[in-house]
Amino acid sequence: MESGKKAIDQAILRLTSQHTVPDQATLLSLLAREGFSLTQGTLSRRLAKLSVRKKHGRYQRVSGGAQVPPPYVLAPAAPHLLVLQTHHGLGPALAQRVDRSTVRGVAGTVAGEDSLFVALHGGCTLDEVAAQLEALLGAPQEKI
């Protein structure tokens, strides 16, 4: 399935760079002509992952720039959970940053309004994953 996602992602990037794509329906149609069958929800998720957004009336890849991650406090919850607490409304931003990264040992995340639960899978310790998160997000705060 991963190779299928890669092919879809490559097609999305190519089509949005070669065509003026004013809406997702147009992009779904272009993808269908190339043999890809996606739902609108799946397309939306692929666009978000690829940083393709509507800008100046058409879909195009946008650079994220040097966005600073939200501040957070790290609270280990042994044996396989890390909890990151942040300001209200910033939990999803932390989750997106972690989900798009390649932090080894992360089985998955669940975001709330002001928190992020990071579930670990076997083979990595809390300290190892916390160190990787710190490299990705910057040093945790002492309190929020």
Side-chain angles (χ1 to χ4, degrees), residues 54-104:
K54 196 168 189 177
K55 185 175 179 183
H56 304 296
R58 63 180 288 243
Y59 278 89
Q60 54 190 302
R61 193 169 206 179
V62 295
S63 65
Q67 297 176 347
V68 176
Y72 68 98
V73 172
L74 182 65
H80 302 290
L81 185 66
L82 291 169
V83 180
L84 284 70
Q85 297 171 322
T86 188
H87 295 293
H88 184 75
L90 297 179
L94 281 174
Q96 186 176 54
R97 185 103 25 155
V98 173
D99 289 343
R100 289 184 177 178
S101 73
T102 56
V103 174
R104 194 174 59 79

Side-chain angles (χ1 to χ4, degrees), residues 8-132:
I8 290 168
D9 290 351
Q10 290 172 350
I12 289 169
L13 293 173
R14 182 175 39 75
L15 290 169
T16 55
S17 68
Q18 293 176 346
H19 300 275
T20 298
V21 180
D23 52 45
Q24 289 186 12
T26 301
L27 185 52
L28 284 170
S29 177
L30 291 168
L31 288 165
R33 285 189 217 157
E34 296 201 2
F36 297 105
S37 177
L38 283 81
T39 65
Q40 187 276 325
T42 299
L43 177 60
S44 289
R45 287 186 293 278
R46 300 314 310 156
L47 291 172
K49 179 187 177 287
L50 295 167
S51 297
V52 173
R53 292 179 180 66
K54 196 168 189 177
K55 185 175 179 183
H56 304 296
R58 63 180 288 243
Y59 278 89
Q60 54 190 302
R61 193 169 206 179
V62 295
S63 65
Q67 297 176 347
V68 176
Y72 68 98
V73 172
L74 182 65
H80 302 290
L81 185 66
L82 291 169
V83 180
L84 284 70
Q85 297 171 322
T86 188
H87 295 293
H88 184 75
L90 297 179
L94 281 174
Q96 186 176 54
R97 185 103 25 155
V98 173
D99 289 343
R100 289 184 177 178
S101 73
T102 56
V103 174
R104 194 174 59 79
V106 173
T109 63
V110 177
E113 284 296 314
D114 62 356
S115 59
L116 174 64
F117 295 92
V118 180
L120 281 57
H121 62 71
C124 287
T125 67
L126 290 173
D127 289 338
E128 290 170 335
V129 175
Q132 290 182 74

